[in-house]
Amino acid sequence: MSDELENKEPGLEERFAKIDSILDEMEDENVTLDRSFALYKEGLEQIKAAGQSLDTIEKAMLVLNQDGKLEEF
């Protein structure tokens, strides 16, 4: 069971929290240029992964059509 938790992809909330912490660290006036580039790269990866997660969620959503039947969003 613990292996399942370790291999689980972070959820959107975790990704957004990580992006927020990256931004906070980048705003620190003492952050080095090398660290800024590393944070920038990590932030882009988190944003890309969050976008992919949102796409997956959108495709899985169902909506009621005018006939009262469920169909994919």
Side-chain angles (χ1 to χ4, degrees):
M1 180 97 173
S2 64
D3 288 336
E4 261 182 48
L5 294 175
E6 290 175 15
N7 295 330
K8 186 180 176 190
E9 284 287 316
L12 281 173
E13 292 83 6
E14 290 90 356
R15 290 199 187 281
F16 289 141
K18 181 65 177 172
I19 292 166
D20 192 40
S21 71
I22 289 170
L23 290 172
D24 286 343
E25 188 173 347
M26 287 180 78
E27 290 174 348
D28 184 343
E29 63 185 41
N30 296 319
V31 71
T32 65
L33 187 57
D34 287 338
R35 181 68 180 144
S36 290
F37 283 127
L39 289 167
Y40 178 77
K41 181 180 176 186
E42 185 180 356
L44 286 178
E45 291 169 358
Q46 292 294 327
I47 290 169
K48 181 180 175 184
Q52 290 171 342
S53 293
L54 285 171
D55 287 344
T56 301
I57 291 168
E58 285 178 351
K59 289 176 184 173
M61 288 179 59
L62 298 176
V63 294
L64 283 175
N65 64 19
Q66 290 179 342
D67 298 325
K69 296 181 182 177
L70 290 175
E71 58 184 37
E72 288 188 27
F73 181 71

